[in-house]
């Protein structure tokens, strides 16, 4: 079944075109028929992306490197041009209301939210297309999502459908395909649990596996719903803006107090109040690991509740044409609302004057100036690289004591023959077959997405995409000679494929027609993530979300957005951080009401609370 939140658009051959102002024709017959019949959509046409290949791993049928080298730039630029994205529309020396460093989802949401309020915004992106880890790339007729294909925030109801709201704010719409399940777990002791879209089906299956824990299961997930419903009832804006907070409190006091109660709590503590079975507690660890790459004892309860409930309330919905369409739509909407985006603009320095952020410098020496600077880089890239170590404020030094960099990932993007997958294969799988103790170990657990189960147009006829990723540390890949580096990639990839072949898809190795492998070094190089990290991890057991920084920083005029900020990792979380950041910046530059006296009191209180964590 195809969901459309508007009159959807036809797709030109082999290309997803987001529907935005000035580009909103009627839906094609194929889309209408597919929607009526509840079938999947395939806008398939032959593709010729003009890409060159780079050999990397002997022993596989197709040998490529996941990274997009310089010889792919022309093709990527053609892709940007073909969807109407400007290659460079900033003016050196221009003065802006806000400059956004990076065009990940958090940065683009912040930029577009500001633009529709009337702000003049410039987004500077290092690469040649937008999206960051929510981007895309193409090879030999395949369209690969760079990062996760599990898309929250795309529903048509509630207040947590943040991607839908962000697109609508700039007049853009996307077709999505509902996923009947979030993930299928394959766990030790032959424990198999499918997280169905329907909550009753999921809870029924879980209770069937642990009938003696029925009461505990209902109480734990019941508390998740209490938090989710409180969040979902509020208009989501900046938690650092007191006029908004007071307004929400007077409208929804019970919901606000509920969230305040759970703010310093972790999912593992709540689970252990109700559940005793060690294997069931380990399952909840695995649920939280997908959310935050840490176990339940280290996962804030509010974060866990957002994901564990929204997957049933709004559901997982995959955007037709791939995840990269989200960033392309937002970038196009940004420009249509009078702001600008520049590609191949690698910011190397945030310019400070008397302790205030006033501009940025890019690698070719150009400088741009603005009232405010918003960094969509990681906290470690922002403070330590863009802001030099000697200029680090006390708050950031404290943050780096409390949190460490979350691990990066080893990613495998594969094309395989479609006949290797059994009928009705789920889109997403989580594999931890041997021992629970391996959950958080590098290469211990495997996450697998097969987006072509939902949208077959992403792959050539008769083929599927398999995106495999597992946690990996950059230390495993640093300092290796090229030959040894390639051999290690082949060795690790072969072992992961062997495990999937043994547990899910017999004969998988022989069905591979295309493969690329990316390491933490790849994520660092192309996504500008320090050590390839995906957000912060607490050094010790945290007090929920109490220690997480919000959008403001210790540098006047400098804000952060993305997975290093409250509420953390994940597409819905970074979109939330973008909405919050835009609201706080808009108040600071006079586009929203503000009270300087209350601002100072609230920001001081939040800083004090973080110090308690």
């Amino acid at each position: 079944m195809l969901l459309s939140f508007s009159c959807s658009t036809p797709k030109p051959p082999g290309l997803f075109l987001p529907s935005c102002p000035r580009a909103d024709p009627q839906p094609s017959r194929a889309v209408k028929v597919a929607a009526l019949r509840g079938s999947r959509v395939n806008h398939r046409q032959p593709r010729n992306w003009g890409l060159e290949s780079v050999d990397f791993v002997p022993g596989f049928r197709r040998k490529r490197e996941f990274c997009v080298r310089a010889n792919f730039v022309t093709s990527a630029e053609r892709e940007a041009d073909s969807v109407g994205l400007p290659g460079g529309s900033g003016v050196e020396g221009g003065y802006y209301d806000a400059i956004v460093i990076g065009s990940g989802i958090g940065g683009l949401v912040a930029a577009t939210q500001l633009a529709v309020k009337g702000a003049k915004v410039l987004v500077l992106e290092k690469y040649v297309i937008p999206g960051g880890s929510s981007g895309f790339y193409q090879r030999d007729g395949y369209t690969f999502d760079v990062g996760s294909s599990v898309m929250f925030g795309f529903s048509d109801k509630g207040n947590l459908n943040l991607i839908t709201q962000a697109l609508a704010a700039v007049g853009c719409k996307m077709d999505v395909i509902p996923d009947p399940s979030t993930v299928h777990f394959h766990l030790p002791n032959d424990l198999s649990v499918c997280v169905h879209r329907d909550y009753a089906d999921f809870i029924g299956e879980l209770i069937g596996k642990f009938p003696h824990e029925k009461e505990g299961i209902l109480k734990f997930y019941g508390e998740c719903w209490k938090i989710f419903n409180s969040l979902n009832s509020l208009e989501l804006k900046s938690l650092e803006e007191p006029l908004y907070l007071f307004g929400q409190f007077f409208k929804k006091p019970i919901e606000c107090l509920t969230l305040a109660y759970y703010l310093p709590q972790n999912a593992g503590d709540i689970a252990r109040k109700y559940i005793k079975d060690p294997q069931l507690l380990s399952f909840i660890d695995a649920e939280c690991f997908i959310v935050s790459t840490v176990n339940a004892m280290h996962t804030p309860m509010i974060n866990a509740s957002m994901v564990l409930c929204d997957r049933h309330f709004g559901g997982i919905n995959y955007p037709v044409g791939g995840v990269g369409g989200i960033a392309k739509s937002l970038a196009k909407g940004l420009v249509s609302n009078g702001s600008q985006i520049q590609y191949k603009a690698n910011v190397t320095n945030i310019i400070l004057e008397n302790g205030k952020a006033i501009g940025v410098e890019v690698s070719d020496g150009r400088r741009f100036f603005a009232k405010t600077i918003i960094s969509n880089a990681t906290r470690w890239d922002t403070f330590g690289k863009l802001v030099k170590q000697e200029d680090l404020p006390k708050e950031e030094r404290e943050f780096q004591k409390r949190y460490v960099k979350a691990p990066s990932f080893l990613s495998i993007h594969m094309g395989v023959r479609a006949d290797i997958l059994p009928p009705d294969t789920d889109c997403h799988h989580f594999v931890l077959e041997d021992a629970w103790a391996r959950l958080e170990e590098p290469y211990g657990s495997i996450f697998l997405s097969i987006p072509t189960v939902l949208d077959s147009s992403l792959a050539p006829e008769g083929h599927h995409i398999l995106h495999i990723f597992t946690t990996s540390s950059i230390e495993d890949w640093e300092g290796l000679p090229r030959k040894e580096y390639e051999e290690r990639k082949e060795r690790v990839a072969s072992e992961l494929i062997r495990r999937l072949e043994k547990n899910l898809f017999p004969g998988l190795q022989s069905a591979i027609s295309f493969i690329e492998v990316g390491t933490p070094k790849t994520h660092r190089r192309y996504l500008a993530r320090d050590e390839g990290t995906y957000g912060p991890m607490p050094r010790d057991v945290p007090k929920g979300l109490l220690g997480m920084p919000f959008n403001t920083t210790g540098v006047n005029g400098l804000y952060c957005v993305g997975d290093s900020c409250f509420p953390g990792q994940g597409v819905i979380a970074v979109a939330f951080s973008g909405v919050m950041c835009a609201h706080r910046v808009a108040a600071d530059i006079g586009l929203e009401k503000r009270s300087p006296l209350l601002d100072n009191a609230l920001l001081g209180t939040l800083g004090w609370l973080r110090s308690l964590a």
Side-chain angles (χ1 to χ4, degrees), residues 174-192:
M174 293 181 67
D175 294 333
V176 296
I177 304 168
D179 193 337
S181 63
T182 301
V183 62
H184 193 151
F185 287 97
H186 309 271
L187 300 168
N189 307 316
D190 295 321
L191 177 62
S192 173

Side-chain angles (χ1 to χ4, degrees), residues 134-166:
S134 292
F136 71 102
Y137 72 101
Q138 287 131 341
R139 300 287 188 278
D140 287 8
Y142 293 95
T143 299
F144 293 108
D145 298 330
V146 169
S148 174
S149 300
V150 182
M151 286 296 111
F152 292 88
F154 249 129
S155 76
D156 57 354
K157 59 183 178 179
N159 285 330
L160 284 170
N161 57 343
L162 296 174
I163 300 299
T164 299
Q165 292 182 43

